[in-house]
């Protein structure tokens, strides 16, 4: 993976920076609630086969896109709305020697720039909570071929949050997050044979961090944070907010067949 340095435009307003952008900035590679166990469930529900053309939307720094090519010998188109993420993903694809196997592009999950039924599989990890979910679900179903699979991994409330916790999560930690019944949403968009896997987030625990990043990248991320006082402050605030909301949160992976 490429070394991450902060472009000035991204450093400008660390306070306002979304947590996932900050995590990418400091070099974290896995930036979704369920970490690697959720991605393993996503692969299982996707039934990926060699030669398939896979779309990953909201690809972040490209970690899953790269792994899909390496593990399943697929071709991947990886899309993200944020130019910073697109740049990181492109750097990481290049560093992995997979230019030509992963195509990275800027795009919006709510209005994808691809024809109907273009892809065999569509994968999404931790994106729907930030967008108009019905528009996004219609789009990912539209671009997937009939009989293909759409699989998505998102946060859920696993117990009813107090009003303070809900406000903290939706409007401060991860704005503008809105958590829905994702299974219901995909069923109403026409997916059949819908399966669901669920778990408890562990990305911010020491064990989850180590499992997701591996020892070398974990040390690199921590060193990156510790070297910069503004990063230390941002991480401390983020960690303290997340500790308050995580007891209420779970994750799900939802997947099914397109009509
Ligand atoms: C929580 S991060 C997840 C990144 C990556 N999927 C992962 O799991 O590591 C959310 C990602 O969704 C992207 N995103 C947010 N809104 C989007 C949209 N409308 N269309 C496409 N991507 C979007 C963000 O830029 C960010 O990279």
């Amino acid at each position: 993976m490429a070394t991450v340095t902060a472009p000035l435009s991204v450093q400008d307003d660390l306070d306002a920076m979304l947590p996932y952008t900050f995590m990418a900035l400091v070099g974290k590679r896995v930036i979704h609630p369920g970490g690697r166990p959720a991605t393993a469930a996503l692969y299982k529900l996707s039934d990926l086969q060699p030669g398939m053309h896979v779309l990953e939307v909201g690809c972040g720094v490209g970690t899953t896109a790269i792994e899909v090519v390496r593990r399943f010998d697929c071709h991947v188109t990886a899309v993200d709305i944020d130019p910073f993420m697109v740049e990181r993903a492109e750097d990481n694809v290049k560093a992995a020697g997979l230019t030509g196997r992963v195509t990275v592009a800027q795009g919006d999950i709510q209005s994808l720039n691809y024809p109907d039924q273009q892809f065999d599989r569509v994968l999404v990890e931790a994106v729907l909570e930030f967008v108009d979910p019905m528009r996004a679900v219609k789009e990912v179903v539209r671009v997937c071929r009939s009989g293909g699979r759409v699989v998505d991994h998102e946060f859920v409330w696993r117990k009813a949050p107090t009003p303070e916790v809900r406000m903290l999560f939706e409007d401060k930690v991860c704005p503008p997050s809105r958590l829905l019944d994702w299974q219901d949403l995909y069923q109403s968009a026409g997916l059949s044979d819908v399966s669901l896997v669920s778990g408890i987030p562990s990305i911010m625990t020491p064990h989850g961090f180590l499992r997701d990043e591996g020892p070398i990248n974990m040390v690199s991320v921590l060193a990156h944070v510790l070297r910069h006082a503004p990063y230390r402050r941002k991480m401390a605030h983020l960690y303290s907010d997340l500790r308050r909301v995580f007891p209420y949160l779970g994750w799900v992976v939802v997947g099914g067949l397109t009509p």
Side-chain angles (χ1 to χ4, degrees), residues 192-229:
S192 59
D193 198 17
V194 175
S195 308
L196 182 136
V197 179
S198 61
I200 294 176
S202 55
I203 46 167
M204 293 303 277
T205 62
H207 154 79
F209 204 129
L210 180 62
R211 173 203 62 210
D212 290 346
E213 301 301 327
I216 295 173
N217 202 46
M218 182 170 169
V219 170
S220 157
V221 170
L222 291 176
H224 205 142
V225 172
L226 292 175
R227 270 202 307 273
H228 301 88

Side-chain angles (χ1 to χ4, degrees), residues 11-168:
Q11 290 185 51
D12 279 349
D13 196 352
L14 210 51
D15 286 346
M17 188 181 284
L18 290 165
Y20 54 76
T21 313
F22 175 66
M23 287 183 191
L25 176 68
V26 296
K28 201 166 184 323
R29 293 171 187 163
V30 176
I31 313 173
H32 50 253
R36 293 201 182 263
T39 304
L42 180 106
Y43 292 152
K44 202 163 177 203
L45 296 190
S46 305
D47 187 26
L48 296 166
Q49 303 295 330
M52 280 183 166
H53 195 177
V54 177
L55 175 68
E56 194 207 350
V57 199
C59 65
V61 299
T63 306
T64 296
I66 290 168
E67 202 173 69
V68 165
V69 173
R70 284 187 171 149
R71 284 187 55 180
F72 302 99
D73 198 19
C74 297
H75 297 269
V76 179
T77 298
V79 168
D80 202 286
I81 200 165
D82 182 345
F84 173 67
M85 293 296 198
V86 169
E87 190 187 314
R88 291 292 162 228
E90 279 172 342
D91 288 349
N92 288 333
V93 166
K94 197 168 164 199
L98 292 175
T99 309
R101 301 293 307 280
V102 181
T103 305
V104 184
Q106 193 177 1
D108 183 348
I109 194 169
Q110 300 163 119
S111 173
L112 290 167
N113 199 17
Y114 302 101
D116 295 357
Q117 305 210 24
Q118 175 87 354
F119 300 96
D120 299 300
R121 300 288 185 263
V122 181
L123 309 181
V124 183
E125 288 182 292
V127 185
L128 252 61
E129 68 186 82
F130 308 113
V131 299
D132 176 337
M134 203 57 211
R135 272 182 70 193
V137 166
K138 275 190 186 148
E139 276 299 87
V140 295
V141 171
R142 178 184 69 76
V143 299
C144 190
R145 73 166 161 81
S146 179
R149 283 174 189 272
V150 172
V151 187
D152 185 358
H153 162 46
E154 300 289 341
F155 269 125
V156 287
W157 291 117
R158 80 184 142 98
K159 65 178 182 182
T162 63
E164 295 74 26
V165 165
R166 180 186 290 277
M167 208 187 308
L168 182 62

Side-chain angles (χ1 to χ4, degrees), residues 133-134 155-157 178-183 185:
M134 203 57 211
F155 269 125
V156 287
W157 291 117
R178 294 294 178 269
L179 304 184
L180 304 180
D181 181 334
W182 306 113
Q183 187 171 15
L185 188 69

